[in-house]
Amino acid sequence: MGGARLGVLGGSGLYAMDGLEEVREIQVDTPYGPPSDTLRLGRIDDLEVVFLARHGRHHSYTPTEVPYRANLWALRSLGVRWVLSVSAVGSLQEQYRPLDMMVPDQFIDRTHQRPLSFFGGGVVAHVTAADPYCPVLSRLLADVGDSLMPPGRQLHRGGTYLCMEGPAFSTRAESELYRSWGCGVIGMTNHTEARLAREAEMAYATLAMVTDYDCWHQEHASVTVELVIDNLRANAALAQQIVRQAAARVGELRPASSAHHALRHALMTPAEHVPAETRRRVDLFTSPYWGPYPD
Ligand SMILES: CSC[C@H]1O[C@H](OP(=O)(O)O)[C@H](O)[C@@H]1O
Ligand SMILES: Nc1ncnc2[nH]cnc12
């Protein structure tokens, strides 16, 4: 992982990354269309870091419309092997209080309108998703976060992220259902990225910023954008600090992850039976196993 880069995906309220040096804007074309925005490539110490605003810098894409495949393809094409993502989430359990943070270790998928794989069209792959977030990168992120949390606020290690389709927030019945499933937090973006990052052999971890109690809590107002934004503002500087220090730590440790060879035993279709166009589309991911596809 010598020359590998770190990707940072900023979510709601995090449209740029502080502390990046020598920043260049890069436009990337992908087989899955254009990413949400130009990518910003800079440096933190000796590590090259690529920042991308998931919804675009002006928050123009709904959670359904975010071009997740283009975003992850673009990162991987720039040599990214670790991804830190930042997301706003609602809390589904009393102990996750607004302004707390969580580094989730599981998700449940309730989306139904998004592509979830780079594969298909004549090539089949089944990656392992038992631990959908990289445990090594998640631990690094949680350790850094823990050391920076102000008194009275907590960083929670592990927990289940319920990914809903949106864009409307949940009904109270849905919120209660997810609580009964033991989910910890709710959002609209994270699992899609985690799945695609795994297929693209990038280690992925999330800093989830708790902004509200969704709509189930008797003593707290139901979630609104205003509430989310107020709490994101209050947490923005801390989130930036955590991401910057976690990035520096990734640069020092360059942690190995099983995600880095997720496709080793996942590809089902023999290379010679994959249509040429498909072969070209997935070549970024399959070339370590099948060799580069000649143009
Ligand atoms: C602004 S509230 C709903 C919005 O916030 C979260 O965004 P992200 O995960 O990109 O930080 C949630 O997933 C929704 O997209
Ligand atoms: N309650 C909530 N539901 C879905 N996404 C969110 N993002 C922040 N709060 C949320």
Side-chain angles (χ1 to χ4, degrees), residues 10-12 54-55 59 63 86-89 161 169 187-190 225 228:
S12 298
R54 163 187 305 131
H55 300 275
H59 207 122
V86 183
S87 265
V89 294
Y161 176 112
F169 293 113
M188 306 180 188
T189 60
N190 223 244
V225 162
V228 171

Side-chain angles (χ1 to χ4, degrees), residues 20 32 34 42 44 49 53 84 96 121 154 184 194 202:
L20 276 188
Y32 302 92
I44 289 191
V49 177
L84 294 177
Y96 304 130
Q154 219 183 322
M202 298 185 285

Side-chain angles (χ1 to χ4, degrees), residues 73-258:
W73 195 99
L75 291 180
R76 182 71 180 84
S77 76
L78 293 173
V80 166
R81 301 310 297 268
W82 306 277
V83 179
L84 294 177
S85 91
V86 183
S87 265
V89 294
S91 167
L92 294 171
Q93 306 291 342
E94 186 77 48
Q95 73 268 26
Y96 304 130
R97 289 170 304 181
L99 298 183
D100 279 3
M101 305 260 186
M102 181 211 264
V103 176
D105 62 354
Q106 288 293 326
F107 59 69
I108 289 179
D109 176 16
R110 284 263 305 166
T111 68
H112 49 87
Q113 285 185 48
R114 342 177 159 176
L116 297 178
S117 176
F118 291 107
F119 296 95
V123 61
V124 178
H126 301 284
V127 292
T128 300
D131 293 304
Y133 297 90
C134 169
V136 180
L137 191 60
S138 295
R139 192 172 324 116
L140 180 155
L141 179 61
D143 286 346
V144 170
D146 226 359
S147 72
L148 294 171
M149 288 307 279
R153 275 150 68 179
Q154 219 183 322
L155 182 138
H156 305 267
R157 290 169 186 264
T160 299
Y161 176 112
L162 187 293
C163 193
M164 58 177 290
E165 187 64 60
F169 293 113
S170 305
T171 65
R172 197 164 289 119
E174 287 165 337
S175 200
E176 289 295 359
L177 176 68
Y178 307 147
R179 277 165 51 68
S180 76
W181 290 350
C183 297
V185 294
I186 182 163
M188 306 180 188
T189 60
N190 223 244
H191 110 286
T192 320
E193 283 172 0
R195 273 201 201 288
L196 293 167
R198 178 61 54 84
E199 285 191 351
E201 300 195 317
M202 298 185 285
Y204 181 91
T206 290
L207 181 66
M209 301 195 276
V210 182
T211 53
D212 56 89
Y213 272 115
D214 201 37
C215 59
W216 59 271
H217 203 297
Q218 311 276 344
E219 287 137 42
H220 288 263
S222 293
V223 58
T224 60
V225 162
E226 191 186 13
L227 181 57
V228 171
I229 289 173
D230 283 353
N231 280 332
L232 283 176
R233 283 216 183 97
N235 243 349
L238 178 60
Q240 290 276 2
Q241 209 185 353
I242 295 173
V243 170
R244 208 165 50 246
Q245 288 203 19
R249 197 88 185 109
V250 169
E252 282 160 30
L253 299 176
R254 298 189 167 267
S257 167
S258 57

